Amino acid sequence: MTTAVVAPFRFFSLHVVRTMRLGPSLVRVTFAGDELREFHSLGCDQSLSLFIPHPGQDAPVVPIELGDGWWQAWRELPDDVRAVMRSYTLRSLRRDPDEIDIDFVLHGVEPGAATPAGPASRWAADAGAGDRVLLLGPAIADNRAIRFRPPQDADLVVVWGDETAVPAASAIVESLPAGTRARVWLEVQHTEDIQDLVTEADAEVTWLVRDHHHDEPGVEGSPMALGAIRDAQLPDAERPYVWIAGESSCVKRLRRHFVGERGVDRRSVTFVGYWRQGMTEEQLRAAE
């Protein structure tokens, strides 16, 4: 008897169904496609790789027909041909019909922005029904691209995320079962970016609005976030679990705070740098 082995990740050819503006800095894009029936995930912070076309292209150019050789061939394509790849987290997955939501941060899209918009922000701001993308995502529900894994005996969940981590953090908060104590800080650019989160948990959610503090995301490790969390009185807990994600320098400083100043077991701190101040994703990948 032979058993079929399913690769944990695969490409999904998808198209935009609709978009919804969540605030000045955030837009939700809903994708569908027949292949989504093979998309499986049990994770609240499921990581995905999204490939989008350049302006003038009707579909992203990725040589997936080469199988495992696609990566090297994709990297060797000309810059203005090779599909733009960006990392995102899954906001939600629905069945009947099969759809997924991905929330995009619109850095630099607004008029008079201090920094120019990146290709993914420009694409998301203009996305319309029928626009085609490729997604590299999970075919196995429990996979290594899921990072939020609190121990069963955790008696407090602590979460921090900047706007790039708000989708994952929001999904985490919404998934927490009744009886779970949680303290959550979410950092956004504008008051209008604040979202209503519904959860059965005993969750206290604090939104930090950068407009009010004149902070830049990631500058000096986001002093607003560090100050708010350092001053917070957390409930007594014997087995706290911490999940922090967003700009790399801020994530590192918050991890040092929880481990060094609050005495949280470092094995109970999940920390993920989604981006790095002053670097594009291509530069970050090259540096790593």
Side-chain angles (χ1 to χ4, degrees):
M1 177 179 177
T2 60
T3 302
V5 177
V6 178
F9 302 96
R10 55 157 288 181
F11 280 100
F12 299 86
S13 180
L14 306 178
H15 61 271
V16 175
V17 177
R18 58 187 173 273
T19 66
M20 179 174 67
R21 197 67 174 255
L22 303 177
S25 305
L26 298 166
V27 64
R28 176 166 298 161
V29 182
T30 299
F31 299 93
D34 291 342
E35 296 176 3
L36 272 182
R37 63 180 178 272
E38 304 298 333
F39 182 103
H40 300 287
S41 176
L42 294 176
C44 300
D45 61 343
Q46 176 71 62
S47 181
L48 311 166
S49 292
L50 183 70
F51 295 82
I52 59 176
H54 290 278
Q57 295 178 331
D58 63 356
V61 178
V62 183
I64 60 176
E65 69 278 1
L66 297 179
D68 291 342
W70 76 267
W71 171 258
Q72 186 61 37
W74 171 78
R75 293 187 64 182
E76 292 172 356
L77 290 170
D79 290 347
D80 58 348
V81 174
R82 180 179 62 239
V84 175
M85 181 178 79
R86 288 293 183 268
S87 300
Y88 286 94
T89 52
L90 178 69
R91 181 58 178 89
S92 57
L93 165 65
R94 292 179 297 279
R95 301 299 188 190
D96 300 322
D98 297 327
E99 294 181 344
I100 62 169
D101 294 334
I102 298 177
D103 292 355
F104 292 77
V105 179
L106 302 180
H107 282 310
V109 171
E110 63 273 20
T115 56
S121 291
R122 290 195 300 269
W123 180 88
D126 296 333
D131 289 353
R132 297 165 62 189
V133 300
L134 271 176
L135 185 75
L136 183 58
I140 295 177
D142 189 1
N143 58 79
R144 66 178 184 272
I146 298 169
R147 303 294 299 276
F148 179 76
R149 297 179 182 271
Q152 287 191 341
D153 63 351
D155 54 359
L156 176 67
V157 175
V158 179
V159 171
W160 172 83
D162 64 18
E163 57 261 63
T164 65
V166 161
S170 298
I172 286 170
V173 171
E174 292 172 348
S175 75
L176 295 175
T180 303
R181 295 185 302 166
R183 296 299 179 265
V184 181
W185 288 266
L186 301 177
E187 187 171 332
V188 292
Q189 182 64 41
H190 306 288
T191 302
E192 295 82 2
D193 293 325
I194 294 175
Q195 302 171 42
D196 292 327
L197 304 180
V198 178
T199 180
E200 296 180 353
D202 171 17
E204 181 181 294
V205 181
T206 301
W207 290 87
L208 305 173
V209 181
R210 204 173 302 116
D211 259 0
H212 296 169
H213 294 78
H214 308 291
D215 281 353
E216 292 289 338
V219 172
E220 297 181 0
S222 188
M224 178 178 62
L226 187 61
I229 293 174
R230 181 174 281 153
D231 293 342
Q233 182 69 41
L234 294 179
D236 292 334
E238 294 182 2
R239 297 172 301 279
Y241 172 78
V242 177
W243 181 93
I244 44 181
E247 199 280 326
S248 294
S249 64
C250 189
V251 165
K252 290 176 182 177
R253 289 190 65 182
L254 288 170
R255 178 176 181 264
R256 286 197 296 267
H257 165 71
F258 283 111
V259 174
E261 298 178 32
R262 292 196 183 262
V264 178
D265 187 333
R266 65 179 64 249
R267 293 169 298 182
S268 294
V269 179
T270 296
F271 59 104
V272 191
Y274 282 166
W275 62 290
R276 187 179 299 175
Q277 183 74 18
M279 297 182 73
T280 65
E281 187 160 338
E282 288 86 359
Q283 292 169 333
L284 187 58
R285 284 200 301 270
E288 292 174 345

